[in-house]
DNA sequence: CGTGATCTTGATGCTCATCAAGGCTAGTGG
DNA sequence: CCACTAGCCTTGATGAGCATCAAGATCACG
């Protein structure tokens, strides 16, 4: 039944957000209620669509990018499930879906996140996500300014793996890879052709495998070594989030 | 007398902050008092010093940078007079003075900036500065990802001119330029040698002049054209800041 | 007047962009 | 079922852009 499938998707959206936010701070019961409420306000967008701001991405991949006057594109960051997407507002940026995506409208969450008294947990989580967003921009600047094409590709793959893994969407050596080589080129400041040759070099050396939407990192340590990759810091925890995730799963699950 | 010179510097620091913040929002009397109080807490640092965070830079230039394991450096942004400097805290960054600098310790300002009820003006100004900081990071990503060395140099010069001009430290075709070619290379992701050759090309073509700490932009329009430079948006004004600056100047000036 | 930092210049070659063309796959309409 | 198309991936050839190495010139300063 359609409504059951919808409820299932909402439940997964809620779990995802609880996992992402809960890893950054302890969430109270009312925080979880807000998350649950947000999870029910699902909206789908097709690949290539411009996304509105002030939402949370819950499935699919998006990009923050700018298109220059001569048509050249630069991708600033990838938005992955669990990430908030601050649309337009800031600095001549557009938010574009790279795959079919689902978002939830979350005015309650964004508002609560400003209230560090009533919703200390959510506020802390959102602040942590803002900080991380900046950290990722800085890492991207280093990639573009100081790494070779070969290093850039390895570095980006590791970053994506880490960000996906912490919301349960990647394993240590395997991650979904829906990006076309053109999109990778737009992010890494390279030409499509050179992205292709760079991937082949990594393949030839047995470091990665890329096929049909899946990337396999055969030797993550070697990859990290060659590009001096620094993993994102493990977040501090003020309470055990695992239990919370389960509580939310129970709360949001479709009634049997 | 020493104390008079100090008072003069504090007065200039206050005017600078009032001009920068006031251009971003209307400042109340109590906002100006906070600024004045902060301006009296001057501290000097010599070139090369690591700067502490949560301060406002009031004279000199600083950089936010990261040093990689192989010794390569990447500068993320330049901190100019009037800019807040958020030290360490975020994302493996260090804040380093590039010239002798003066900062003011401003716990009151940072605290007030969080209180959007009592200090709406300051809060709005700080929020605008945060947004602009991100905008500048994105511009830097475009420079590194999609512009040639020649374009990068032109783009950076224009950005620095605009940011300095609005606090009265640059003219349309003239700005202080205390950066060494090595520092420019660290920012633009180039080798020192190539920075040198790039500057010479711009010189040969009559676009710029660089000597003894001063940069002259002979044809700013041509420079903007060649790198598709987009000026920072003119800030909205909720009240006339000019009057406020004068009020503060009177308030902070050493008694005759 | 020497000493270190900064700027400048030349020579050489790697990295990457560009142009051009061909192949592979999935979806579309006859 | 078979062209036909459109997107994406792949490959080769060529040259521009930039790094690197090395050395000399200039400047700032004690």
């Amino acid at each position: 039944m359609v409504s059951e499938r919808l409820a299932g998707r909402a439940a997964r959206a809620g779990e995802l957000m609880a996992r992402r936010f809960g890893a950054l701070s302890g969430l109270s019961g009312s925080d979880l209620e807000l998350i649950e409420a947000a999870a029910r306000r699902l909206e789908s967008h097709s690949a290539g669509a411009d996304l509105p701001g002030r939402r949370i991405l819950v499935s699919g991949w998006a990009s923050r990018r700018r298109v220059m006057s001569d048509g050249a594109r630069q991708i600033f960051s990838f938005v992955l499930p669990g990430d908030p997407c601050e649309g337009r507002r800031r600095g001549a940026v557009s938010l574009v879906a790279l795959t079919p995506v689902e978002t939830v409208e979350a005015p309650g969450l964004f508002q609560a996140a400003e209230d560090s008294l009533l919703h200390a947990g959510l506020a802390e989580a959102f602040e942590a996500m803002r900080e991380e967003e900046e950290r990722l921009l800085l890492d991207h600047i280093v990639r573009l300014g100081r790494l070779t094409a070969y290093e850039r590709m390895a570095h980006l793959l590791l970053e994506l793996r880490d960000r996906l893994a912490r919301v349960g969407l990647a394993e240590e050596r395997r991650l979904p890879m829906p990006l076309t080589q053109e999109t990778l080129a737009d992010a890494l400041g390279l030409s499509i052709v050179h992205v292709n040759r760079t991937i082949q070099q990594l393949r030839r050396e047995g470091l990665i495998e890329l096929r049909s939407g899946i990337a396999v990192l055969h030797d993550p340590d070697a990859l990290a070594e060659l590009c001096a990759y620094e993993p994102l810091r493990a977040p501090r925890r003020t309470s055990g989030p695992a239990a919370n995730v389960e509580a939310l799963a129970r709360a949001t699950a479709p009634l049997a």
Side-chain angles (χ1 to χ4, degrees), chain A:
Chain A
M1 284 168 69
V2 169
S3 67
E4 244 176 59
R5 284 218 305 273
L6 183 65
R9 290 189 302 166
R12 263 178 281 121
E15 285 176 54
L16 180 87
M17 286 188 278
R19 191 172 335 189
R20 176 92 167 89
F21 306 161
L24 298 168
S25 74
L27 298 178
S28 71
S30 77
D31 290 339
L32 289 169
E33 276 170 35
L34 280 171
I35 290 174
E36 181 192 349
R40 299 189 180 282
R41 311 183 68 170
L42 264 185
E43 204 166 288
S44 296
H45 312 262
S46 49
D50 263 302
L51 300 180
R54 291 235 131 194
R55 305 179 72 82
I56 311 274
L57 187 73
V58 295
S59 78
W61 291 31
S63 64
R64 297 176 66 216
R65 64 159 68 149
R66 191 185 294 170
V67 180
M68 306 178 59
S69 44
D70 65 350
R73 280 171 302 199
Q74 178 63 51
I75 289 178
F76 301 118
S77 61
F78 293 108
V79 184
L80 304 181
D83 293 338
C85 22
E86 302 273 354
R88 52 216 82 253
R89 203 160 65 82
R90 290 191 274 183
V93 180
S94 57
L95 199 58
V96 179
L98 297 170
T99 68
V101 305
E102 290 174 316
T103 63
V104 300
E105 194 188 358
L109 286 181
F110 281 92
Q111 216 166 357
E114 315 243 313
D115 186 343
S116 51
L117 291 178
L118 264 182
H119 293 279
L122 268 184
E124 193 184 340
F126 271 68
E127 176 59 22
M129 288 194 291
R130 275 189 86 144
E131 274 185 38
E132 183 186 275
E133 204 180 305
E134 179 171 349
R135 154 73 191 261
L136 292 174
L137 285 183
L138 300 185
D139 287 353
H140 199 40
I141 287 177
V142 171
R143 268 197 295 260
L144 295 173
R146 287 298 175 215
L147 301 190
T148 65
Y150 188 69
E151 295 163 337
R152 284 179 214 182
M153 182 67 65
H155 199 275
L156 179 61
L157 286 171
L158 290 168
E159 177 192 306
L160 293 172
R161 181 204 59 173
D162 283 355
R163 291 173 61 196
L164 289 167
R166 68 181 172 192
V167 287
L169 296 174
E171 304 161 24
E172 200 207 340
R173 336 181 143 248
R174 255 172 80 89
L175 61 150
M177 178 39 66
L179 305 178
T180 65
Q181 294 184 0
E182 182 175 13
T183 301
L184 286 168
D186 288 343
L188 297 178
L190 300 168
S191 67
I192 302 179
V193 172
H194 202 64
V195 164
N196 183 289
R197 295 189 162 122
T198 303
I199 289 173
Q200 288 178 61
Q201 193 186 344
L202 285 161
R203 247 201 293 259
R204 244 180 287 121
E205 304 187 355
L207 292 170
I208 69 169
E209 209 171 316
L210 269 188
R211 42 136 169 79
S212 64
I214 303 282
V216 181
L217 314 183
H218 285 120
D219 191 344
D221 293 342
L223 283 175
E225 175 83 14
L226 78 85
C227 62
Y229 177 73
E230 296 279 344
L232 297 171
R233 73 153 181 285
R236 62 198 171 288
R237 292 184 172 172
T238 45
S239 89
N244 282 342
V245 169
E246 280 165 25
L248 186 90
R250 261 178 274 118
T252 339
L255 303 176

